[in-house]
Amino acid sequence: MHVLISGGTGLVGTKLTERLIEKGHSVTILTRNAKDKQNQSHIHYVTWLDGSKPENHLENVDAVVNLAGASISKPWTRSHKEAILKSRVEATQECIRIIRALEHTPSVFYSSSAIGYYGVSEEDTFTEHSKPINQYFLQTVSEQWESEASQVKDEVRLVIGRLGLVLDRNDGPLPLMALPYRFGVGGRIGNGRQWYSWIHVEDAANVIVFSLENEQCEGPFNITAPEPLRMRKFGQIIGETLHRPHWLPAPRFAMRLALGEMSDLIIKGQRVIPKRTEELGFSYRFPTLRKALKDIYS
């Protein structure tokens, strides 16, 4: 396949590009400045979101993957919250415009979302069939993000990937979560009952490839490992993997004071099960947190 990717230089996008190339596909990455990038044999770069028409430089696109959006790992000031939402909505709108403008209509559009779509709970379990139970910032963002993507569902096979916490040694939430343990002061955050629904970055990329290659994949999919864990257990396994203690509690108010509203990422959560992903036969390389962290820190 020829796969067009927005957000192709981010954490998941980089790993996805590697996996697609390994499997013999070719990739074009939409970027804000293609002049700064060096085209390779199977990877090309095309400028977008500058008023130009990327479709004029694209031929025979089979799949479009939308991963673009401002980082949620920066402080959630009012202006950055606006950027988080606006960047996702505008990127999705532009991907749809490109799909409609292409002479050859792609067979599939993968649009990213997040498990924040479901809201937060310490007791409920969510599958792809679950409806949102409450609203907070990331729930609102995810809902609007998916609403934009659904505009094209009658024109192309639409896959919506609701990503959980993506684990990687150097990027994403894990370095920040592991930092206290490295200094020997890791421990429970808040009451420790909040759920973390996570996935190893390699499995995240593999699920996306799986969804592109399999015509049965359509609609929402939870891109999480089958083993969500409460924070206290999650932290305990980090400590054991790094050979550090798990002992010093961090109260919610301290996290809120230090990180502001962005602390919602670690003091709130949801128990998400990848029911449809498993039913369609996807095989995880890292189904358990111990296995995932052993690989990441090996």
Side-chain angles (χ1 to χ4, degrees), residues 100-121:
R100 289 171 171 166
L102 289 169
E103 184 176 347
H104 167 74
T105 302
S107 62
V108 57
F109 177 37
Y110 173 96
S111 189
S112 192
S113 181
I115 59 172
Y117 169 86
Y118 299 110
V120 295
S121 175

Side-chain angles (χ1 to χ4, degrees), residues 63-75:
V64 177
V65 176
N66 177 28
L67 302 172
S71 171
I72 62 171
S73 298
K74 296 180 179 180

Side-chain angles (χ1 to χ4, degrees), residues 39-87:
N39 288 334
Q40 303 170 39
S41 58
H42 295 288
I43 306 176
H44 293 83
Y45 297 88
V46 172
T47 300
W48 81 324
L49 297 179
D50 66 342
S52 63
K53 294 186 176 181
E55 62 270 20
N56 293 338
H57 306 279
L58 300 169
E59 292 183 0
N60 300 321
V61 174
D62 300 297
V64 177
V65 176
N66 177 28
L67 302 172
S71 171
I72 62 171
S73 298
K74 296 180 179 180
W76 289 3
T77 61
R78 179 178 296 179
S79 61
H80 191 61
K81 286 173 68 176
E82 291 175 357
I84 288 172
L85 175 59
K86 184 178 179 182
S87 63

